[in-house]
């Protein structure tokens, strides 16, 4: 055992809402692209088929009765559904707002006008992985960069808020400053979020071509920290290199100072999603989230959402994951970072280890350092709540 | 026709009850949301265009223990805050709710 501060034990379980506040809905299993790291496709547990309009509309009525506030409509590519305006009308009728996740290529004036007419769209998120076709299209396919930019400009013409998502991989890690210039300066997108191509779905088939090396990850972290300093809150991340850089800097600062354990540290507490949202696959299976798409909790049209939300054993177990101490795991027992570590994403933990109730090796600081990686103290300056490591 | 003193909940607004009797009022048209406590939920359910603010305050006094003397002013201020946020309107005088 290392000489490390004791981790706090949660005094009471986190309360659970009576119904989910938000839903992630994969409205279609069809897509016009086949991106090489797509988390959605190539999951052997998922039957890729679509539901009809009426089934979704009945489900939206149920969401309205559950007082759901927001739905995130993704796919596949949601703009492939010819009934999308009718589906959005069902969302509006049930007093919800929505956002759409798209590759942008199919968005024309008619589709953008239909979205704008709802007046309930928070934003449309468009994937942009490069500053030019060379870096964007390498994983997404020829013509996809032009389609993404065309989609963004069409949405902007119709006054629809646009967000961008940059997925970082081996081929675009050196392009990030140019990506930021394109999105934030030239296209004037208010903000973009970042993540990394991860060990989910189609990634496994192409890992040898797209996975980042330790040096790539270092470069991505350094580059994104510098860009965030320049652009402020216009670059965000919940996962991937920027999130790792910020959180790891906090952990390193705390370790050096011998700080008390973080209030959520030392436990598998990373995922709060299961306390406020749930997901539905294109075939109608209710699952905890898109990254745990194999874990069927129920099925729309057959099971009541509120009942699944409150009582599905797998979901109850996922919520209890927060109390599992890292000391249970051999790799964490003598880790000086354990009191500040939250175990990371359960979806990636499952994908990488075959178990949900384990820490994910993907965002493990200790493993990263043992592999020769280094972290940059500058990240602590832009990480809320952190003091600067000397 | 003029606006009266009988507040009426915006029918587009969703009352979303969370845990421990707290709730959120959510206006999907504007994305505005406000958290309210159990007394706020009680008041919200009386905003039907039939009850005046004074009648609502009286119902609060009947329905809760240890209600302070300032309750009528506090109820009015709460309703006015909701009205300023677009969560509440006022039924027109003489209109049939």
């Amino acid at each position: 055992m290392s000489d490390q501060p004791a981790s706090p034990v949660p005094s009471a379980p986190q309360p659970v809402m009576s119904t989910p506040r938000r839903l992630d809905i994969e409205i279609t299993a069809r897509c016009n692209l086949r991106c090489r790291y797509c988390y959605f496709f190539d999951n052997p547990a998922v039957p890729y088929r679509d539901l009809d309009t009426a089934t979704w509309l009945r489900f939206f009525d149920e969401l309205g009765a559950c007082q759901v506030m927001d739905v995130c409509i993704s796919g596949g590519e949601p703009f492939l559904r010819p009934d999308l305006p009718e589906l959005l009308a069902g969302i509006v009728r049930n007093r919800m707002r929505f956002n759409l996740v798209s590759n942008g290529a199919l968005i024309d004036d008619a589709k953008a006008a239909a979205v704008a007419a709802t007046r309930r769209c928070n934003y449309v998120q468009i994937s942009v992985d490069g500053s030019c076709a060379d870096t964007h299209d390498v994983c997404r396919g020829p013509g996809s960069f032009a389609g993404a930019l065309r989609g963004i400009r069409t949405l902007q013409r119709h006054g629809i808020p646009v967000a961008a998502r940059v997925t970082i991989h081996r081929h675009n890690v050196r392009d990030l400053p140019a990506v930021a210039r394109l999105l934030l300066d030239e296209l004037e997108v208010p903000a973009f979020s970042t993540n990394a191509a991860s060990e989910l779905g189609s990634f496994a088939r192409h890992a040898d071509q797209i996975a980042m090396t330790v040096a790539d990850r270092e470069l991505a972290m350094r580059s994104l920290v510098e860009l965030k300093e320049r652009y402020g809150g216009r670059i965000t991340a919940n996962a991937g290199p920027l999130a790792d850089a910020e959180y790891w800097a906090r952990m390193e600062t705390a370790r050096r100072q011998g700080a008390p354990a973080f209030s959520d540290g030392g436990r598998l507490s990373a995922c709060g999603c299961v306390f406020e949202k749930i997901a539905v696959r294109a075939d109608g299976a209710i699952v905890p989230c898109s990254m745990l798409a194999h874990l069927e909790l129920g099925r729309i049209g057959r099971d009541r959402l509120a009942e699944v939300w409150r009582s599905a054993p797998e979901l109850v177990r996922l919520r209890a994951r927060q109390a599992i101490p890292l000391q249970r795991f051999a790799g964490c027992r003598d880790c000086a970072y354990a009191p500040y570590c939250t175990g990371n994403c359960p979806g990636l933990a499952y994908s990488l280890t075959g178990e949900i109730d384990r820490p994910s090796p993907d965002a493990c600081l200790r493993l990263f350092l043992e592999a020769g990686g280094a972290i940059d103290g500058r990240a602590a300056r832009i990480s809320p709540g952190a003091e600067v490591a000397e | 026709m003029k606006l009266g003193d009988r507040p009426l909940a915006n029918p587009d607004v969703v009352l979303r009850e969370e845990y421990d009797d707290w709730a959120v009022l959510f206006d999907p048209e504007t994305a505005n949301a406000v958290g309210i406590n159990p007394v706020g939920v009680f008041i919200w359910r009386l905003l039907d265009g039939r009850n005046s603010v004074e009648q609502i305050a009286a119902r609060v006094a009947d329905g809760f223990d240890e209600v302070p003397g300032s309750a009528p002013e506090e109820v009015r201020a709460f309703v006015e805050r909701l009205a300023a946020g677009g969560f509440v309107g006022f039924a027109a005088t003489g209109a049939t709710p």
Side-chain angles (χ1 to χ4, degrees):
Chain A
M1 290 282 286
S2 65
D3 181 19
Q4 61 187 23
S7 297
V9 176
S11 56
Q14 188 171 328
V16 181
M17 299 164 178
S18 56
T19 56
R21 187 180 284 186
R22 287 178 248 284
L23 263 85
D24 291 340
I25 295 175
E26 292 166 351
I27 205 76
T28 178
R30 295 183 300 133
C31 190
N32 53 317
L33 302 182
R34 280 293 182 276
C35 303
R36 289 202 281 171
Y37 46 74
C38 181
Y39 74 90
F40 177 76
F41 285 111
D42 291 313
N43 185 335
V46 175
Y48 292 98
R49 63 181 183 84
D50 282 11
L51 300 179
D52 60 24
T53 312
T55 303
W56 282 119
L57 292 177
R58 282 194 298 274
F59 182 60
F60 294 158
D61 290 344
E62 185 181 358
L63 298 188
C66 288
Q67 293 100 34
V68 169
M69 292 164 61
D70 284 287
V71 290
C72 172
I73 303 294
S74 65
E77 170 52 50
F79 285 96
L80 264 175
R81 282 200 73 126
D83 59 353
L84 187 61
E86 196 177 344
L87 295 171
L88 296 182
I91 291 170
V92 170
R93 195 163 52 245
N94 284 287
R95 303 190 296 175
M96 295 180 281
R97 293 182 68 83
F98 65 90
N99 57 289
L100 287 152
V101 177
S102 168
N103 59 53
L106 303 176
I107 300 173
D108 57 20
D109 279 309
K111 288 173 179 161
V115 172
T118 66
R119 301 192 304 170
R120 299 286 175 85
C121 180
N122 293 319
Y123 60 88
V124 179
Q125 177 183 293
I126 305 294
S127 302
V128 178
D129 293 351
S131 68
C132 59
D134 279 352
T135 47
H136 180 98
D137 291 359
V138 67
C139 286
R140 292 185 171 271
S144 56
F145 179 71
L149 265 56
R150 192 172 57 245
I152 288 173
R153 290 183 172 122
T154 304
L155 292 165
Q156 289 175 325
R157 258 198 323 277
H158 288 265
I160 298 167
V162 176
R165 165 61 65 87
V166 180
T167 301
I168 301 166
H169 51 76
R170 184 182 302 176
H171 300 283
N172 66 4
V173 70
R174 285 161 188 79
D175 194 31
L176 297 175
V179 173
R181 276 196 303 278
L182 169 70
L183 291 173
L184 303 180
D185 295 335
E186 294 173 32
L187 291 170
E188 297 182 323
V189 170
F192 71 83
S193 57
T194 63
N195 64 359
S198 301
E199 297 263 356
L200 293 160
S202 305
F203 180 95
R205 290 170 49 209
H206 308 104
D208 58 330
Q209 303 150 44
I210 56 180
M212 283 191 283
T213 63
V214 169
D216 289 337
R217 290 180 79 179
E218 267 185 49
L219 175 60
M221 289 194 289
R222 198 165 54 243
S223 183
L224 288 168
V225 167
E226 288 172 3
L227 289 167
K228 187 165 179 179
E229 283 190 321
R230 189 185 313 163
Y231 289 102
R234 298 179 71 193
I235 303 176
T236 62
N238 290 323
L242 179 56
D244 289 344
E246 293 181 340
Y247 201 77
W248 287 351
R250 283 187 63 203
M251 291 169 70
E252 174 62 5
T253 301
R255 185 195 65 81
R256 286 190 191 185
Q257 295 173 344
F262 292 167
S263 61
D264 57 351
R267 301 180 279 120
L268 294 180
S269 62
C271 180
C273 298
V274 287
F275 291 91
E276 72 162 49
K277 70 174 186 175
I278 200 166
V280 181
R281 288 193 327 225
D283 67 322
I286 303 170
V287 295
C289 87
S290 303
M291 298 180 76
L292 289 168
H294 69 288
L295 204 59
E296 290 194 33
L297 309 172
R299 191 158 286 275
I300 71 169
R302 185 192 71 192
D303 302 306
R304 291 181 56 232
L305 179 71
E307 181 65 23
V308 169
W309 173 254
R310 280 193 297 266
S311 308
E314 299 89 344
L315 199 54
V316 172
R317 184 177 158 184
L318 262 172
R319 291 179 183 135
R321 184 178 183 269
Q322 286 205 333
I324 298 174
L326 293 177
Q327 292 297 315
R328 182 182 294 184
F329 306 103
C332 303
R333 266 179 219 129
D334 62 347
C335 178
Y337 296 104
Y340 317 112
C341 179
T342 60
N344 313 312
C345 170
L348 274 173
Y350 175 77
S351 185
L352 289 163
T353 70
E355 292 181 54
I356 293 171
D357 289 342
R358 292 192 68 81
S360 168
D362 180 67
C364 173
L365 173 54
R366 178 180 175 170
L367 289 178
F368 179 74
L369 296 174
E370 286 175 355
I375 55 175
D376 187 340
R378 280 176 302 178
R381 288 203 298 270
I382 59 171
S383 178
E387 293 177 36
V388 182
E390 296 301 324
Chain B
M1 192 168 69
K2 63 173 187 166
L3 290 182
D5 187 37
R6 298 177 189 279
L8 180 65
N10 177 346
D12 282 340
V13 170
V14 177
L15 170 67
R16 195 189 140 75
E17 293 181 76
E18 307 285 5
Y19 35 77
D20 297 336
D21 293 335
W22 282 72
V24 172
L25 294 175
F26 171 62
D27 183 351
E29 189 70 20
T30 61
N32 287 341
V34 60
I36 58 175
N37 65 18
V39 180
V41 174
F42 183 87
I43 293 170
W44 177 259
R45 293 201 164 113
L46 294 172
L47 302 179
D48 58 3
R50 292 188 173 91
N51 296 297
S52 68
V53 173
E54 287 69 28
Q55 287 170 322
I56 293 169
R59 296 278 294 275
V60 169
D62 288 344
F64 290 86
D65 296 330
E66 300 177 26
V67 175
S70 59
E73 291 76 31
E74 290 182 30
V75 170
R76 176 168 292 283
F78 174 70
V79 172
E80 286 175 351
R81 276 201 305 278
L82 292 181
F87 296 95
V88 167
F90 287 88
T93 303
T96 304

